[in-house]
Amino acid sequence: MASHRRPKQPSRTRVTVFTATAAAAVALSSQAAQAAPKPTKEEVKSEVDKLYEQAEQATEKYNGAKEDQQKLQKEVDRLQDKVARGQEELNKLRKGIGSVASGQYRSGSIDPSVQLFLSGDPDTYLEKASTLDQLSGKQASQLKVIADKQRTLSQQREEAAGKIKDLSDTRKALGDKKDEIQGKLAKAQELLNSLTAKEREALEAKEERANRANSRVDLGTAVPSSQRAAAALNAAKTKIGSPYVWGATGPSSFDCSGLTQWAYQQAGQSLPRTSQEQATAGTQIGRDQLKPGDLVMFYDDLHHIGLYAGNDQVLHAPKPGAAVRFEPMDNMPFMYGVRV
């Protein structure tokens, strides 16, 4: 008969150990929570500004990839059109040479010496034979044209295939940069959302004050270096208050290089799309040589650009969440100026 034993109860010592361990775990968790205090409003703003700067770096790379995509698309379209026209010409040549060959096959082929023996008029035969020789020579020439056309068409198809691959790679790079930008902006928004409503209002009010300060900016009395520079700066001034939007080139929203490109467009001057490319669009000058309308480059990698407005002020599209406005140049690390 099986014996039924009562399960052994945990000893007082074991209970005490378990209780002590659990208490220690709770204490550690509490200490960890206390060791990681909520970031201050200033710390959040600093991190958000850093994310915005990283997003702008990615934006300029996105702009470059987008410009490459547009150029490649035009090249692909041109090559595909050339291949289509070449194929059409080749088909016509083949059809022409095929008609002649079919006619000869249907009429049969007789040895020339036999034809001469049977001919009632040798002079007429010799005249016809001369024409046939000319026809044969023409066919040979046509065949050479066809072979050359086939070779050219093959090269064009290969070139088009290479450009299509480049286009595909560029589109992927474009998508990757877009994801990176959106990720940075989403992270920045997440940080802003972690603030209290009062803290967010304080940051928004500070940004609004910076936007409104444009009417009180002293631009000095410096004269632009040219009528074109003056026209570009005046055009940009009409866009004060327009929002920063990454990848935008106007007329209602801009990123930094989009604003400078649009402004110079209004002055009749074409500029490249990205800030790095615009940095080579004229003569490089130092800070003490700047005049209103000159381009001004910021940061080591030149990922930010604006228009010199006078009296050490820059007119630019600053960052996400901000409007086109004047700001002191010392707010960013200045590299050099460019006179277009």
Side-chain angles (χ1 to χ4, degrees), residues 214-271:
N214 287 281
S215 59
R216 301 189 300 275
V217 170
D218 177 11
L219 300 179
T221 57
V223 178
S225 60
S226 67
Q227 287 185 341
R228 181 173 53 198
L233 180 59
N234 287 334
K237 286 178 180 177
T238 67
K239 294 303 174 181
I240 289 173
S242 298
Y244 176 102
V245 174
W246 67 270
T249 57
S252 55
S253 58
F254 304 87
D255 61 21
C256 68
S257 56
L259 175 66
T260 49
Q261 185 189 49
W262 180 88
Y264 265 92
Q265 239 171 20
Q266 311 318 301
Q269 175 68 45
S270 177
L271 288 184

CSV table of all heavy atoms in Angstrom, one decimal, residues 214-271:
chain,number,residue,atom,x,y,z
A,214,ASN,N,13.0,88.8,-37.1
A,214,ASN,CA,13.5,89.3,-38.4
A,214,ASN,C,13.3,90.8,-38.6
A,214,ASN,O,14.1,91.5,-39.2
A,214,ASN,CB,12.8,88.5,-39.5
A,214,ASN,CG,13.3,87.1,-39.6
A,214,ASN,OD1,14.4,86.8,-40.1
A,214,ASN,ND2,12.6,86.2,-39.0
A,215,SER,N,12.2,91.3,-38.1
A,215,SER,CA,11.8,92.7,-38.4
A,215,SER,C,12.8,93.7,-37.6
A,215,SER,O,12.9,94.8,-38.0
A,215,SER,CB,10.4,93.0,-38.0
A,215,SER,OG,10.2,92.7,-36.6
A,216,ARG,N,13.5,93.1,-36.6
A,216,ARG,CA,14.3,94.0,-35.8
A,216,ARG,C,15.8,93.8,-36.1
A,216,ARG,O,16.7,94.4,-35.4
A,216,ARG,CB,14.1,93.7,-34.3
A,216,ARG,CG,12.6,94.0,-33.9
A,216,ARG,CD,12.5,93.9,-32.4
A,216,ARG,NE,12.9,92.6,-31.8
A,216,ARG,CZ,12.1,91.5,-31.8
A,216,ARG,NH1,10.8,91.6,-32.2
A,216,ARG,NH2,12.5,90.4,-31.3
A,217,VAL,N,16.1,93.0,-37.1
A,217,VAL,CA,17.5,92.7,-37.4
A,217,VAL,C,18.2,93.9,-38.1
A,217,VAL,O,17.7,94.5,-39.0
A,217,VAL,CB,17.7,91.4,-38.3
A,217,VAL,CG1,19.1,91.3,-38.8
A,217,VAL,CG2,17.2,90.2,-37.5
A,218,ASP,N,19.4,94.3,-37.6
A,218,ASP,CA,20.2,95.3,-38.2
A,218,ASP,C,21.1,94.7,-39.2
A,218,ASP,O,22.1,94.0,-38.8
A,218,ASP,CB,20.9,96.1,-37.1
A,218,ASP,CG,21.8,97.2,-37.7
A,218,ASP,OD1,21.7,97.5,-38.9
A,218,ASP,OD2,22.7,97.7,-36.9
A,219,LEU,N,20.9,95.0,-40.5
A,219,LEU,CA,21.8,94.4,-41.5
A,219,LEU,C,22.9,95.3,-42.0
A,219,LEU,O,23.7,94.9,-42.9
A,219,LEU,CB,20.9,94.0,-42.7
A,219,LEU,CG,19.7,93.0,-42.5
A,219,LEU,CD1,18.9,92.8,-43.7
A,219,LEU,CD2,20.3,91.7,-41.9
A,220,GLY,N,23.0,96.4,-41.4
A,220,GLY,CA,24.1,97.3,-41.7
A,220,GLY,C,23.9,98.0,-43.1
A,220,GLY,O,22.8,98.0,-43.6
A,221,THR,N,25.0,98.5,-43.6
A,221,THR,CA,24.8,99.3,-44.9
A,221,THR,C,25.7,98.8,-46.0
A,221,THR,O,26.0,99.4,-47.0
A,221,THR,CB,25.2,100.8,-44.6
A,221,THR,OG1,26.6,100.8,-44.1
A,221,THR,CG2,24.3,101.4,-43.6
A,222,ALA,N,26.2,97.5,-45.8
A,222,ALA,CA,27.1,96.9,-46.9
A,222,ALA,C,26.3,96.8,-48.2
A,222,ALA,O,25.1,96.5,-48.2
A,222,ALA,CB,27.6,95.6,-46.4
A,223,VAL,N,27.1,97.0,-49.3
A,223,VAL,CA,26.5,96.9,-50.6
A,223,VAL,C,26.8,95.6,-51.2
A,223,VAL,O,27.9,95.1,-51.1
A,223,VAL,CB,27.1,98.0,-51.5
A,223,VAL,CG1,26.5,97.9,-52.9
A,223,VAL,CG2,26.8,99.4,-50.9
A,224,PRO,N,25.8,94.9,-51.8
A,224,PRO,CA,26.0,93.6,-52.5
A,224,PRO,C,27.1,93.7,-53.5
A,224,PRO,O,27.4,94.8,-54.1
A,224,PRO,CB,24.7,93.3,-53.1
A,224,PRO,CG,23.7,94.1,-52.3
A,224,PRO,CD,24.4,95.3,-51.9
A,225,SER,N,27.7,92.5,-53.8
A,225,SER,CA,28.9,92.5,-54.7
A,225,SER,C,28.4,92.7,-56.2
A,225,SER,O,29.2,93.0,-57.1
A,225,SER,CB,29.6,91.2,-54.6
A,225,SER,OG,28.7,90.1,-54.9
A,226,SER,N,27.1,92.4,-56.5
A,226,SER,CA,26.6,92.5,-57.9
A,226,SER,C,25.1,92.7,-57.8
A,226,SER,O,24.5,92.4,-56.8
A,226,SER,CB,27.0,91.3,-58.7
A,226,SER,OG,26.3,90.1,-58.2
A,227,GLN,N,24.5,93.1,-58.9
A,227,GLN,CA,23.1,93.2,-59.0
A,227,GLN,C,22.4,91.8,-58.9
A,227,GLN,O,21.4,91.7,-58.3
A,227,GLN,CB,22.7,93.8,-60.4
A,227,GLN,CG,23.0,95.3,-60.5
A,227,GLN,CD,22.5,95.8,-61.8
A,227,GLN,OE1,22.2,95.1,-62.8
A,227,GLN,NE2,22.3,97.1,-61.9
A,228,ARG,N,23.1,90.8,-59.4
A,228,ARG,CA,22.6,89.4,-59.3
A,228,ARG,C,22.5,89.0,-57.8
A,228,ARG,O,21.5,88.4,-57.4
A,228,ARG,CB,23.5,88.5,-60.1
A,228,ARG,CG,23.1,87.0,-60.1
A,228,ARG,CD,23.9,86.2,-61.1
A,228,ARG,NE,25.4,86.4,-60.8
A,228,ARG,CZ,26.3,86.1,-61.6
A,228,ARG,NH1,26.1,85.6,-62.8
A,228,ARG,NH2,27.6,86.3,-61.3
A,229,ALA,N,23.6,89.3,-57.1
A,229,ALA,CA,23.6,88.9,-55.6
A,229,ALA,C,22.5,89.6,-54.9
A,229,ALA,O,21.8,89.1,-54.0
A,229,ALA,CB,25.0,89.2,-55.0
A,230,ALA,N,22.3,90.9,-55.3
A,230,ALA,CA,21.3,91.7,-54.6
A,230,ALA,C,19.9,91.1,-54.9
A,230,ALA,O,19.0,91.0,-54.1
A,230,ALA,CB,21.4,93.2,-55.1
A,231,ALA,N,19.7,90.7,-56.2
A,231,ALA,CA,18.4,90.2,-56.6
A,231,ALA,C,18.1,88.9,-55.9
A,231,ALA,O,17.0,88.6,-55.5
A,231,ALA,CB,18.4,90.0,-58.1
A,232,ALA,N,19.2,88.0,-55.7
A,232,ALA,CA,19.0,86.7,-55.0
A,232,ALA,C,18.6,87.0,-53.6
A,232,ALA,O,17.7,86.3,-53.0
A,232,ALA,CB,20.3,85.9,-55.1
A,233,LEU,N,19.3,87.9,-52.9
A,233,LEU,CA,19.0,88.2,-51.5
A,233,LEU,C,17.6,88.7,-51.3
A,233,LEU,O,16.9,88.4,-50.4
A,233,LEU,CB,20.1,89.1,-50.9
A,233,LEU,CG,19.9,89.5,-49.5
A,233,LEU,CD1,19.9,88.3,-48.6
A,233,LEU,CD2,21.0,90.5,-49.1
A,234,ASN,N,17.2,89.7,-52.2
A,234,ASN,CA,15.9,90.2,-52.2
A,234,ASN,C,14.8,89.2,-52.4
A,234,ASN,O,13.8,89.2,-51.7
A,234,ASN,CB,15.7,91.4,-53.2
A,234,ASN,CG,16.5,92.6,-52.8
A,234,ASN,OD1,16.7,92.8,-51.6
A,234,ASN,ND2,16.9,93.4,-53.8
A,235,ALA,N,15.1,88.2,-53.3
A,235,ALA,CA,14.1,87.1,-53.5
A,235,ALA,C,14.0,86.3,-52.3
A,235,ALA,O,12.9,85.9,-51.9
A,235,ALA,CB,14.6,86.3,-54.7
A,236,ALA,N,15.1,86.0,-51.6
A,236,ALA,CA,15.1,85.2,-50.4
A,236,ALA,C,14.3,85.9,-49.3
A,236,ALA,O,13.6,85.2,-48.5
A,236,ALA,CB,16.5,84.8,-50.0
A,237,LYS,N,14.5,87.2,-49.2
A,237,LYS,CA,13.8,87.9,-48.2
A,237,LYS,C,12.2,87.8,-48.3
A,237,LYS,O,11.5,87.9,-47.3
A,237,LYS,CB,14.2,89.4,-48.2
A,237,LYS,CG,15.6,89.7,-47.7
A,237,LYS,CD,15.9,91.2,-47.9
A,237,LYS,CE,17.3,91.5,-47.4
A,237,LYS,NZ,17.6,93.0,-47.6
A,238,THR,N,11.8,87.6,-49.5
A,238,THR,CA,10.3,87.5,-49.7
A,238,THR,C,9.8,86.2,-49.1
A,238,THR,O,8.6,86.0,-49.0
A,238,THR,CB,9.9,87.6,-51.2
A,238,THR,OG1,10.4,86.4,-51.9
A,238,THR,CG2,10.4,88.9,-51.8
A,239,LYS,N,10.7,85.3,-48.8
A,239,LYS,CA,10.3,83.9,-48.3
A,239,LYS,C,10.5,83.8,-46.8
A,239,LYS,O,10.4,82.7,-46.3
A,239,LYS,CB,11.1,82.8,-49.0
A,239,LYS,CG,10.8,82.8,-50.5
A,239,LYS,CD,9.3,82.5,-50.7
A,239,LYS,CE,8.9,82.6,-52.2
A,239,LYS,NZ,7.4,82.3,-52.3
A,240,ILE,N,10.9,84.9,-46.1
A,240,ILE,CA,11.0,84.9,-44.7
A,240,ILE,C,9.6,84.4,-44.1
A,240,ILE,O,8.6,84.9,-44.5
A,240,ILE,CB,11.4,86.3,-44.1
A,240,ILE,CG1,12.8,86.6,-44.5
A,240,ILE,CG2,11.2,86.3,-42.6
A,240,ILE,CD1,13.3,88.0,-44.1
A,241,GLY,N,9.7,83.4,-43.2
A,241,GLY,CA,8.5,82.9,-42.6
A,241,GLY,C,8.1,81.6,-43.2
A,241,GLY,O,7.2,80.8,-42.7
A,242,SER,N,8.6,81.2,-44.4
A,242,SER,CA,8.3,80.0,-45.1
A,242,SER,C,8.9,78.8,-44.3
A,242,SER,O,10.0,78.9,-43.8
A,242,SER,CB,8.8,79.9,-46.5
A,242,SER,OG,8.3,80.9,-47.3
A,243,PRO,N,8.2,77.7,-44.1
A,243,PRO,CA,8.7,76.6,-43.3
A,243,PRO,C,9.9,75.8,-43.9
A,243,PRO,O,10.0,75.7,-45.1
A,243,PRO,CB,7.5,75.7,-43.1
A,243,PRO,CG,6.7,76.0,-44.4
A,243,PRO,CD,6.9,77.4,-44.7
A,244,TYR,N,10.8,75.3,-43.0
A,244,TYR,CA,11.8,74.4,-43.5
A,244,TYR,C,11.1,73.0,-43.7
A,244,TYR,O,10.4,72.5,-42.8
A,244,TYR,CB,12.9,74.2,-42.4
A,244,TYR,CG,14.0,73.2,-42.8
A,244,TYR,CD1,15.2,73.6,-43.3
A,244,TYR,CD2,13.7,71.8,-42.7
A,244,TYR,CE1,16.2,72.7,-43.6
A,244,TYR,CE2,14.7,70.9,-43.0
A,244,TYR,CZ,15.9,71.4,-43.5
A,244,TYR,OH,16.9,70.4,-43.8
A,245,VAL,N,11.4,72.4,-44.9
A,245,VAL,CA,10.9,71.1,-45.2
A,245,VAL,C,12.0,70.4,-45.9
A,245,VAL,O,12.5,70.9,-47.0
A,245,VAL,CB,9.6,71.1,-46.1
A,245,VAL,CG1,9.3,69.7,-46.5
A,245,VAL,CG2,8.5,71.7,-45.3
A,246,TRP,N,12.5,69.2,-45.4
A,246,TRP,CA,13.6,68.6,-46.1
A,246,TRP,C,13.3,68.2,-47.5
A,246,TRP,O,12.2,67.7,-47.8
A,246,TRP,CB,14.1,67.4,-45.2
A,246,TRP,CG,13.2,66.2,-45.2
A,246,TRP,CD1,12.2,66.0,-44.2
A,246,TRP,CD2,13.1,65.1,-46.1
A,246,TRP,NE1,11.5,64.8,-44.5
A,246,TRP,CE2,12.1,64.3,-45.6
A,246,TRP,CE3,13.8,64.7,-47.2
A,246,TRP,CZ2,11.8,63.1,-46.2
A,246,TRP,CZ3,13.5,63.5,-47.8
A,246,TRP,CH2,12.5,62.7,-47.3
A,247,GLY,N,14.2,68.4,-48.4
A,247,GLY,CA,14.1,68.1,-49.8
A,247,GLY,C,13.3,69.1,-50.6
A,247,GLY,O,13.1,68.9,-51.8
A,248,ALA,N,12.8,70.2,-50.0
A,248,ALA,CA,12.0,71.2,-50.7
A,248,ALA,C,12.8,72.3,-51.3
A,248,ALA,O,13.8,72.8,-50.8
A,248,ALA,CB,11.0,71.8,-49.7
A,249,THR,N,12.3,72.7,-52.5
A,249,THR,CA,13.1,73.7,-53.3
A,249,THR,C,12.1,74.9,-53.6
A,249,THR,O,12.4,75.7,-54.5
A,249,THR,CB,13.6,73.2,-54.6
A,249,THR,OG1,12.5,72.6,-55.4
A,249,THR,CG2,14.6,72.1,-54.4
A,250,GLY,N,11.1,75.1,-52.8
A,250,GLY,CA,10.2,76.2,-53.0
A,250,GLY,C,9.0,75.9,-53.9
A,250,GLY,O,8.9,74.8,-54.4
A,251,PRO,N,8.1,76.8,-54.2
A,251,PRO,CA,8.2,78.2,-53.7
A,251,PRO,C,7.6,78.5,-52.3
A,251,PRO,O,7.7,79.6,-51.8
A,251,PRO,CB,7.5,79.0,-54.8
A,251,PRO,CG,6.4,78.0,-55.2
A,251,PRO,CD,7.0,76.7,-55.2
A,252,SER,N,7.0,77.4,-51.7
A,252,SER,CA,6.3,77.7,-50.4
A,252,SER,C,7.1,77.1,-49.2
A,252,SER,O,6.8,77.5,-48.1
A,252,SER,CB,4.9,77.1,-50.5
A,252,SER,OG,4.9,75.7,-50.8
A,253,SER,N,8.0,76.2,-49.5
A,253,SER,CA,8.8,75.6,-48.4
A,253,SER,C,10.2,75.3,-48.9
A,253,SER,O,10.4,75.1,-50.2
A,253,SER,CB,8.2,74.4,-47.8
A,253,SER,OG,7.9,73.4,-48.8
A,254,PHE,N,11.2,75.2,-48.0
A,254,PHE,CA,12.6,75.0,-48.5
A,254,PHE,C,13.4,74.2,-47.5
A,254,PHE,O,13.1,74.2,-46.3
A,254,PHE,CB,13.3,76.4,-48.6
A,254,PHE,CG,12.6,77.4,-49.5
A,254,PHE,CD1,11.6,78.2,-49.0
A,254,PHE,CD2,12.9,77.5,-50.9
A,254,PHE,CE1,10.9,79.1,-49.9
A,254,PHE,CE2,12.3,78.4,-51.7
A,254,PHE,CZ,11.3,79.2,-51.2
A,255,ASP,N,14.4,73.6,-48.0
A,255,ASP,CA,15.5,73.2,-47.1
A,255,ASP,C,16.7,74.2,-47.4
A,255,ASP,O,16.5,75.1,-48.2
A,255,ASP,CB,16.0,71.7,-47.3
A,255,ASP,CG,16.5,71.4,-48.7
A,255,ASP,OD1,16.9,72.3,-49.4
A,255,ASP,OD2,16.5,70.2,-49.1
A,256,CYS,N,17.8,74.1,-46.7
A,256,CYS,CA,18.8,75.1,-46.8
A,256,CYS,C,19.3,75.4,-48.2
A,256,CYS,O,19.3,76.5,-48.7
A,256,CYS,CB,20.0,74.8,-45.8
A,256,CYS,SG,21.0,73.4,-46.3
A,257,SER,N,19.7,74.3,-48.9
A,257,SER,CA,20.2,74.5,-50.3
A,257,SER,C,19.1,74.8,-51.3
A,257,SER,O,19.3,75.4,-52.3
A,257,SER,CB,21.0,73.3,-50.7
A,257,SER,OG,20.3,72.1,-50.6
A,258,GLY,N,17.9,74.3,-50.9
A,258,GLY,CA,16.7,74.6,-51.8
A,258,GLY,C,16.4,76.1,-51.8
A,258,GLY,O,16.1,76.7,-52.9
A,259,LEU,N,16.6,76.8,-50.7
A,259,LEU,CA,16.4,78.2,-50.6
A,259,LEU,C,17.4,79.0,-51.4
A,259,LEU,O,17.0,79.9,-52.2
A,259,LEU,CB,16.4,78.7,-49.1
A,259,LEU,CG,16.3,80.2,-49.0
A,259,LEU,CD1,14.9,80.7,-49.4
A,259,LEU,CD2,16.6,80.6,-47.5
A,260,THR,N,18.7,78.7,-51.3
A,260,THR,CA,19.7,79.4,-52.0
A,260,THR,C,19.6,79.1,-53.5
A,260,THR,O,19.8,80.0,-54.3
A,260,THR,CB,21.1,79.0,-51.5
A,260,THR,OG1,21.2,77.6,-51.5
A,260,THR,CG2,21.4,79.6,-50.1
A,261,GLN,N,19.3,77.9,-53.9
A,261,GLN,CA,19.1,77.6,-55.3
A,261,GLN,C,17.9,78.4,-55.9
A,261,GLN,O,18.1,79.0,-57.0
A,261,GLN,CB,18.9,76.1,-55.5
A,261,GLN,CG,18.8,75.7,-57.0
A,261,GLN,CD,18.3,74.2,-57.1
A,261,GLN,OE1,17.3,73.8,-56.5
A,261,GLN,NE2,19.1,73.5,-57.9
A,262,TRP,N,16.8,78.4,-55.1
A,262,TRP,CA,15.6,79.1,-55.6
A,262,TRP,C,15.9,80.6,-55.7
A,262,TRP,O,15.5,81.3,-56.7
A,262,TRP,CB,14.5,78.9,-54.7
A,262,TRP,CG,13.2,79.6,-55.1
A,262,TRP,CD1,12.2,79.1,-55.9
A,262,TRP,CD2,12.8,80.9,-54.7
A,262,TRP,NE1,11.2,80.1,-56.0
A,262,TRP,CE2,11.6,81.2,-55.3
A,262,TRP,CE3,13.4,81.9,-53.8
A,262,TRP,CZ2,10.9,82.4,-55.1
A,262,TRP,CZ3,12.7,83.1,-53.7
A,262,TRP,CH2,11.5,83.3,-54.3
A,263,ALA,N,16.6,81.2,-54.7
A,263,ALA,CA,16.9,82.6,-54.7
A,263,ALA,C,17.7,83.0,-55.9
A,263,ALA,O,17.4,84.0,-56.6
A,263,ALA,CB,17.6,83.0,-53.4
A,264,TYR,N,18.7,82.3,-56.2
A,264,TYR,CA,19.6,82.6,-57.4
A,264,TYR,C,18.9,82.4,-58.7
A,264,TYR,O,19.2,83.0,-59.7
A,264,TYR,CB,20.9,81.9,-57.3
A,264,TYR,CG,22.0,82.8,-56.6
A,264,TYR,CD1,22.2,82.8,-55.2
A,264,TYR,CD2,22.7,83.7,-57.4
A,264,TYR,CE1,23.1,83.6,-54.6
A,264,TYR,CE2,23.6,84.6,-56.8
A,264,TYR,CZ,23.8,84.5,-55.4
A,264,TYR,OH,24.7,85.4,-54.8
A,265,GLN,N,18.0,81.4,-58.7
A,265,GLN,CA,17.1,81.2,-59.9
A,265,GLN,C,16.3,82.4,-60.2
A,265,GLN,O,16.2,82.8,-61.4
A,265,GLN,CB,16.2,80.0,-59.6
A,265,GLN,CG,16.3,78.8,-60.6
A,265,GLN,CD,15.5,77.7,-60.1
A,265,GLN,OE1,14.5,77.8,-59.3
A,265,GLN,NE2,15.9,76.5,-60.6
A,266,GLN,N,15.8,83.1,-59.2
A,266,GLN,CA,15.0,84.3,-59.4
A,266,GLN,C,15.9,85.4,-60.0
A,266,GLN,O,15.4,86.3,-60.6
A,266,GLN,CB,14.3,84.8,-58.1
A,266,GLN,CG,13.6,83.7,-57.4
A,266,GLN,CD,12.8,82.8,-58.3
A,266,GLN,OE1,11.9,83.2,-59.0
A,266,GLN,NE2,13.1,81.5,-58.2
A,267,ALA,N,17.2,85.3,-59.7
A,267,ALA,CA,18.1,86.3,-60.2
A,267,ALA,C,18.7,85.9,-61.6
A,267,ALA,O,19.6,86.6,-62.1
A,267,ALA,CB,19.3,86.5,-59.2
A,268,GLY,N,18.2,84.8,-62.1
A,268,GLY,CA,18.7,84.4,-63.5
A,268,GLY,C,19.9,83.5,-63.4
A,268,GLY,O,20.6,83.4,-64.5
A,269,GLN,N,20.3,83.0,-62.3
A,269,GLN,CA,21.5,82.2,-62.1
A,269,GLN,C,21.2,80.8,-61.7
A,269,GLN,O,20.5,80.6,-60.7
A,269,GLN,CB,22.5,82.9,-61.1
A,269,GLN,CG,23.7,82.1,-60.8
A,269,GLN,CD,24.7,82.0,-62.0
A,269,GLN,OE1,24.9,83.0,-62.6
A,269,GLN,NE2,25.2,80.8,-62.3
A,270,SER,N,21.7,79.8,-62.4
A,270,SER,CA,21.4,78.4,-62.0
A,270,SER,C,22.5,78.0,-61.1
A,270,SER,O,23.7,78.2,-61.3
A,270,SER,CB,21.4,77.6,-63.3
A,270,SER,OG,21.3,76.2,-63.0
A,271,LEU,N,22.1,77.3,-60.0
A,271,LEU,CA,23.0,76.7,-59.0
A,271,LEU,C,22.7,75.2,-58.9
A,271,LEU,O,21.6,74.8,-59.1
A,271,LEU,CB,22.8,77.3,-57.6
A,271,LEU,CG,23.3,78.8,-57.4
A,271,LEU,CD1,23.1,79.1,-55.9
A,271,LEU,CD2,24.7,79.0,-57.8
